[in-house]
């Protein structure tokens, strides 16, 4: 069980509590760090990634509120990099604290990460990635009237959110740096918020206004660094089929082919569980014997002890 290279993908919603203050988010990450350190304690080589959907949306609101002609709001790709820095700082600080409590001499470093996407990805004309706070239908219509270029959709029955392009990642510019950090015994925090979306133009990487799904970015990173395990953390301990129905079924050990059939049956909600399932499948298919796990942060201890969670294999 020891010595595995493990990529753990945290959701942005796991960082943001009902209180959006920096102090509340830092406390949430201190709680999260206690679970993550369990991997290091058993000898795993840990790589952490995280989402930023709530945080980048809130930052954009702050940017817009303070924008003037001489001090304009930053573009979305820059806002993504800003949240990589802020969340990464909070996370490495939290991990440092827990590691010190456990008398473990392990360094943690946040890496601003650029993730390459295809400039012709259809996502740029079909925004789907929810960011920022939830609005009522009336509030979303008002926001749309104030910002005609923005798109708002209902998000999993919880309200309306702004959606932005979410292209698929095709590469991670700094993956060799991540590998070097792991080889040096450092815990890297990488592809934060799905990474800064960039496209290649000659020898230059140019930012694009988008938010890459952190599960797909984490998968691409895990694939490139030849991870043994990709763990995607979500709100539930397992993936379910017939979710919230009388005949719902918990998936514990499942193959890529079985998941593909469930996708054909529309078992997984778009924008929530579906991308997690697809990312897990991609990793298993594209890695050399790697496994993927979908479970909750709170279930990490049980997973390490007895394999609890949904484990995806070929």
């Amino acid at each position: 069980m020891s010595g595995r290279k493990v990529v753990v993908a945290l959701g942005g919603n796991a960082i943001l509590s009902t209180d959006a203050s920096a102090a509340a988010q830092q406390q949430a990450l201190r709680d999260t760090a206690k679970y993550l350190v369990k991997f290091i304690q058993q000898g795993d080589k840990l790589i952490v990634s995280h989402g930023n959907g709530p945080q980048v949306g809130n930052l954009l609101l702050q940017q817009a509120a303070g924008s003037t002609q001489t001090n304009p709001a930053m573009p979305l790709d820059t806002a993504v990099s800003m949240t990589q820095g802020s969340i990464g700082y909070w996370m490495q600080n939290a991990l440092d604290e827990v590691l010190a409590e456990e008398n473990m001499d392990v360094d943690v470093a946040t890496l601003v990460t650029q993730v390459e996407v295809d400039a012709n990805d259809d996502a740029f004309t079909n925004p789907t990635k929810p960011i920022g706070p939830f609005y009522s239908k009336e509030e979303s219509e008002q926001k749309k009237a104030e910002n005609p270029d923005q798109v708002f959709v209902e998000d999993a029955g919880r309200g309306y959110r702004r959606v932005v392009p979410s292209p698929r990642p095709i590469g991670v510019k700094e993956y060799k740096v991540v590998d070097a950090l792991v080889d040096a015994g450092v815990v890297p925090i990488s592809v934060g918020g799905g990474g800064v979306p960039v496209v290649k133009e000659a020898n230059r990487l140019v930012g694009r206004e988008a938010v890459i799904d952190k599960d797909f970015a984490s998968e691409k990173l895990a694939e490139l660094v030849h991870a043994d395990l990709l763990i995607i953390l979500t709100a539930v301990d397992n993936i379910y089929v017939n979710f919230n129905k009388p005949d719902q079924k918990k998936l514990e050990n499942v193959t890529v082919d079985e998941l593909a059939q469930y996708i054909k049956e529309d078992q997984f909600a778009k924008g929530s569980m579906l991308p997690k399932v697809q990312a897990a499948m991609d990793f298993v298919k594209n890695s050399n014997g790697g496994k993927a796990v979908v479970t909750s942060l709170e279930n990490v201890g049980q997973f390490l002890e007895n394999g609890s969670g949904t484990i995806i294999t070929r």
Side-chain angles (χ1 to χ4, degrees):
M1 286 288 286
S2 64
R4 302 172 301 182
K5 188 180 290 185
V6 180
V7 174
V8 177
L10 294 167
N13 289 300
I15 303 162
L16 184 66
S17 67
T18 53
D19 181 350
S21 69
Q25 294 184 74
Q26 286 174 286
Q27 181 56 53
L29 281 169
R30 279 192 286 271
D31 296 336
T32 296
K34 294 174 184 177
Y35 292 100
L36 295 179
V37 164
K38 294 178 186 293
F39 290 97
I40 306 171
Q41 287 175 318
Q42 71 163 26
D44 288 328
K45 301 170 184 177
L46 178 65
I47 301 167
V48 181
S49 66
H50 61 83
N52 72 343
Q55 293 82 6
V56 77
N58 291 343
L59 177 58
L60 289 173
L61 290 175
Q62 294 166 4
Q63 290 273 319
S67 178
T68 65
Q69 190 170 3
T70 56
N71 186 26
M74 292 293 103
L76 180 52
D77 56 306
T78 300
V80 171
S81 71
M82 293 167 73
T83 59
Q84 282 193 3
S86 60
I87 298 172
Y89 153 58
W90 293 336
M91 188 174 295
Q92 73 183 50
N93 185 275
L95 282 166
D96 285 342
E97 181 179 340
V98 176
L99 287 164
E101 290 171 355
E102 297 294 333
N103 296 312
M104 299 179 69
D105 184 16
V106 178
D107 288 322
V108 184
T110 299
L111 182 64
V112 175
T113 316
Q114 301 169 97
V115 174
E116 189 177 352
V117 299
D118 185 344
N120 297 314
D121 194 305
D122 290 341
F124 286 110
T125 57
N126 180 33
T128 59
K129 180 67 176 175
I131 63 170
F134 290 93
Y135 298 105
S136 67
K137 190 171 189 296
E138 293 74 20
E139 288 172 330
S140 70
E141 289 171 348
Q142 181 180 346
K143 291 287 183 183
K144 175 69 175 174
E146 295 169 355
N147 304 278
D149 293 337
Q150 296 183 3
V151 179
F152 294 83
V153 300
E154 189 177 15
D155 183 7
R158 295 175 291 177
Y160 289 76
R161 294 175 82 186
R162 182 185 171 192
V163 289
V164 298
S166 186
R168 286 289 190 105
I170 59 176
V172 178
K173 173 66 172 66
E174 291 81 11
Y175 81 89
K176 292 180 182 177
V177 182
V178 173
D179 244 350
L181 289 168
V182 171
D183 289 343
V186 176
V187 176
I189 300 168
S190 184
V191 295
V196 180
V198 295
V199 297
K200 197 165 187 178
E201 295 182 3
N203 292 323
R204 183 184 177 200
L205 293 175
V206 181
R208 285 288 183 266
E209 290 211 64
V211 173
I212 301 167
D213 187 282
K214 71 98 176 53
D215 295 317
F216 289 125
S218 301
E219 184 283 320
K220 183 57 66 176
L221 176 63
E223 182 185 325
L224 290 169
V225 301
H226 304 293
D228 300 294
L229 195 62
L230 169 64
I231 300 179
I232 298 175
L233 298 180
T234 184
V236 291
D237 293 349
N238 292 79
I239 300 172
Y240 288 83
V241 293
N242 301 322
F243 186 58
N244 273 344
K245 296 179 180 178
D247 60 343
Q248 80 170 13
K249 174 186 174 185
K250 178 169 69 174
L251 301 182
E252 296 179 300
N253 291 280
V254 62
T255 67
V256 167
D257 288 343
E258 288 170 333
L259 287 175
Q261 180 58 43
Y262 289 136
I263 289 174
K264 289 179 181 177
E265 298 171 5
D266 290 325
Q267 288 283 357
F268 310 120
K270 294 178 181 178
S272 56
M273 186 56 77
L274 180 59
K276 300 180 191 306
V277 170
Q278 291 172 322
M281 292 170 64
D282 287 348
F283 175 68
V284 172
K285 288 188 290 186
N286 297 330
S287 65
N288 184 18
K291 295 180 181 180
V293 179
V294 177
T295 191
S296 68
L297 177 68
E298 295 76 14
N299 194 54
V300 161
Q302 288 299 308
F303 165 72
L304 291 173
E305 287 180 20
N306 55 39
S308 173
T310 297
I311 300 174
I312 299 101
T313 60
R314 283 187 182 275

